[in-house]
Amino acid sequence: MIKIHNLGFPRLGPNRELKFALERYWRGDIDPQALEAVAAQIRSDNWRLQANNGIDYIPVGDFSLYDTVLDTSVLLGVIPERFEAGPARGTLSNYFRMARGQAQDGKQYRALEMTKWFDTNYHFLVPELQPRQKFKLTGDKLFREVEQLQALGFQAKPVLLGPVTWLWLAKGMGADDKLMLLESLLAVYAQILNHLADLGVHWMQLDEPLLVLDLPVEWKNAIEMSYHRLHNNRVKILLATYFGGLAENTSFACKLPVAGLHIDLIRAPEQLTPVLDNFPAHKVLSLGLIDGRNIWRSDLRQALATVAQVQQRFQGELWLAPSCSLLHVPVDLDKETGLDPTVITWLAFARQKLTELKVLRLALEEGEAAVAQELQASDEAVRSKRTSPLIHNAATQSRLNSITADMLQRQNPYERRKKRQQESLPLPLFPTTTIGSFPQTQDIRKLRQDYKKSLITPADYTEAMQSQIRYCIEEQEKLGLDVFVHGEAERNDMVEYFGEQLQGFVFTGYGWVQSYGSRCVKPPIIYGDISRPKAMTPAWISYAQSLTDKPVKGMLTGPVTILNWSFVRNDQDRAVTARQLALALRDEVQDLEQAGVKIIQIDEAALREGLPLRRSAWQAYLDWATGAFRLTAGGVNDATQIHTHMCYSEFNDIVDAIADMDADVITIETSRSNMELLEAFVDFHYPNDIGPGVYDIHSPNIPETGQIVALLKQAKDRINADQLWVNPDCGLKTRTWQEVRPALQNMVQAAAILRTESMAVK
Ligand code: GLN
Ligand code: ZN
């Protein structure tokens, strides 16, 4: 008998109920009981939904008020000392203090660090270890939820982050010291297992996505020892791996003393054969057949064929599941009433994915005739997606085929271009600029909303936006910046703005996915070949340029960033989609140049986050990603200056790829590290210009001139003065004008001081 199960379900609720309840609670509008009531409702709705789809083992413990990694840390009693005084352990107030750095008493604390969960856009709170870290089973959240689920009469399968991945993700000590903690950590996990056994739990899922990474041998040993130690006769362990394949860890993972193993066959279908070669018949094999990371409807016929193929070689017990937790997809497609009706037939969100599982099981148990209608709908979706004119654009295809090598590079090397640019753009030493956006005020937001709802005419909208641009230009004149921007008032979001003007994208109404805590994003869906019906930005930039003699930068989002922040096609390589985006943006770059724009910035804020989980796959990614950037930028004259901007700071391991992009100027985030990050560029002898961010825009604090001068001097010790630009870390849209004005004033003043000093030296 085939069983179906789920690894985790979105926890904010179909209408983001949890988000709104959390925000009300944080504002003090509702009490903990009211928050818990909303949470309990979401949990039971999710459980019932899964039960109604026949899910045999329903995950519990996948719900969280903020983050499940934090929940795990709390369960293990890993609560840094600074959270010991004040609100009591175990209280909600203390929990949110760790997550958000704010307590109900209004005091500020240093929150736990947040970082991305593997290669997803979900952010977790990093466990923080301290010297002589002790572990102690703390709180009863997991156990209480198990009981709640059991009370509804369902089979609970508790889900918990496995000990080794938890430890791997923790910070505060080196790897060796961390591994010394394993023994005492496992003692608590063993206690948890026993406790669950007492509650009548038969199966539990321990997530060890660590197994899909390049694993140092000590960590492999740690896994082996952990699962020997946790072997428990009362609770069976399903070891869950996802986001990639086991590769060289395959035979090792198959031999671990656990009762079951889950593998991701969406990200890594190639691992099926090696797993079958190694998998013992007495264990449960869980096949991740439904895509938990993307929004496409499954090809059920193909999934059934995979199961049939497995059954020929494997006689043991089979379970079917999504590839990973459904946390990474929106909740319910049925809410989408505004989407193209054909496109809708290609999609499946979390709820629909559960139904797919149910259909698969029915087909396997009662024969395909029992689900003839569902299979036919799936076939039809596959067929229509393969042939639909909505997806396939002959013009885009033929352009793709005619990309030549010289389209991927500028006409001349950087030194030549630099001369030409100096002639056409007389700029002082240490030119000052900003990253693109200026404060997005209430007025601006309202304007865009009114326009979207057709409450104002296009002409009125244009005029209102132009007056916003005028304001930005005047402010920049007063500040005395050297290179201006138009302020990006017309953009709600740096990806959505372009996606909405390109063919090949759809936007959902409710396709929210949790990013962290109560925060959600609504990624665009790239479903078809990309094309650009008309120019997107020149009118705004030209208008801005008409108001000033200073150069105004044209401002675009790069192809890799658009790709990495969208749901992408599953019928073509990401590299190809990136190239299609690049072609559309290349036309935009050339239109800007035609319109007389001398500096064009192509933001690649998310280039780094697309890096594959395994090192061995990095180079291939970097090659096509930087290629897409060069295809975007490569069509301009030497005199046109191409900038790029990146919102992060770890460059050491990818600096050659950054150099490969060959942007004339790159602006990066560095202020928080005291320019130390520039070392990567020094060691590499990075040839082009760099604008290391001189102040942190995430903080409302106004940087002092002296502080900026000091940072610039540190930068100057590392990089030639004539390579240096002066700019903030990132765009200013989240700040107010009251913060931005004095900050930029000080920045401009700091640049002036450096100029005077370097003249004196000469
Ligand atoms: N040009 C964009 C802005 O200034 C860049 C944003 C980003 O890097 N995230 O808002
Ligand atoms: Zn940025």
Side-chain angles (χ1 to χ4, degrees), residues 161-167 182 185-186 189 206 208 226-227 230:
L161 181 53
V164 192
T165 302
W166 181 88
L167 194 62
L182 189 58
L185 175 60
L186 291 173
Y189 269 85
L206 285 172
E208 294 284 11
S226 299
Y227 287 92
L230 290 181

Side-chain angles (χ1 to χ4, degrees), residues 435 605 645-648 669 729-731:
I435 303 304
H645 164 72
M646 298 186 176
C647 297
Y648 38 81
E669 182 181 305
D729 262 352
C730 193

Side-chain angles (χ1 to χ4, degrees), residues 415-603:
E415 308 87 80
R416 281 275 292 278
R417 304 200 305 263
K418 180 152 179 159
K419 284 208 191 73
R420 297 277 293 110
Q421 290 163 20
Q422 278 167 341
E423 288 154 21
S424 96
L425 276 170
L427 290 172
L429 203 54
F430 307 112
T432 54
T433 191
T434 60
I435 303 304
S437 55
F438 271 113
Q440 293 250 336
T441 58
Q442 268 311 314
D443 282 359
I444 293 178
R445 283 177 219 281
K446 179 157 188 322
L447 265 173
R448 280 200 314 259
Q449 279 160 14
D450 287 354
Y451 179 53
K452 210 161 193 174
K453 292 189 211 140
S454 300
L455 298 177
I456 51 174
T457 66
D460 288 345
Y461 175 72
T462 304
E463 198 171 303
M465 279 295 154
Q466 286 182 340
S467 100
Q468 294 294 340
I469 292 175
R470 214 155 45 232
Y471 184 77
C472 281
I473 297 288
E474 282 163 11
E475 289 294 326
Q476 293 172 88
E477 296 282 9
K478 282 188 232 160
L479 287 162
L481 288 152
D482 300 307
V483 171
F484 287 13
V485 296
H486 77 295
E488 301 182 23
E490 77 286 9
R491 302 184 189 178
N492 38 353
D493 171 275
M494 64 189 285
V495 171
E496 192 168 312
Y497 179 73
F498 291 96
E500 281 177 343
Q501 298 183 77
L502 293 168
Q503 298 280 295
F505 283 79
V506 284
F507 293 84
T508 62
Y510 304 90
W512 298 102
V513 178
Q514 188 174 16
S515 168
Y516 66 91
S518 64
R519 297 293 186 106
C520 305
V521 292
K522 193 151 65 68
I525 297 172
I526 303 181
Y527 70 91
D529 287 343
I530 307 291
S531 63
R532 188 193 67 141
K534 59 179 200 301
M536 304 180 278
T537 59
W540 300 122
I541 311 296
S542 298
Y543 176 73
Q545 187 64 80
S546 74
L547 304 171
T548 176
D549 295 332
K550 296 282 181 67
V552 178
K553 290 193 268 192
M555 206 49 76
L556 303 174
T557 303
V560 186
T561 297
I562 294 183
L563 185 84
N564 285 345
W565 284 345
S566 301
F567 284 119
V568 293
R569 292 173 68 164
N570 63 350
D571 59 345
Q572 113 185 334
D573 244 18
R574 278 160 73 225
V576 179
T577 307
R579 225 173 298 147
Q580 293 190 357
L581 286 162
L583 283 171
L585 291 163
R586 178 184 173 91
D587 294 345
E588 184 72 11
V589 167
Q590 282 169 329
D591 281 343
L592 284 167
E593 185 182 54
Q594 284 287 308
V597 178
K598 292 189 165 152
I599 306 183
I600 300 165
Q601 177 173 315
I602 306 164
D603 291 328

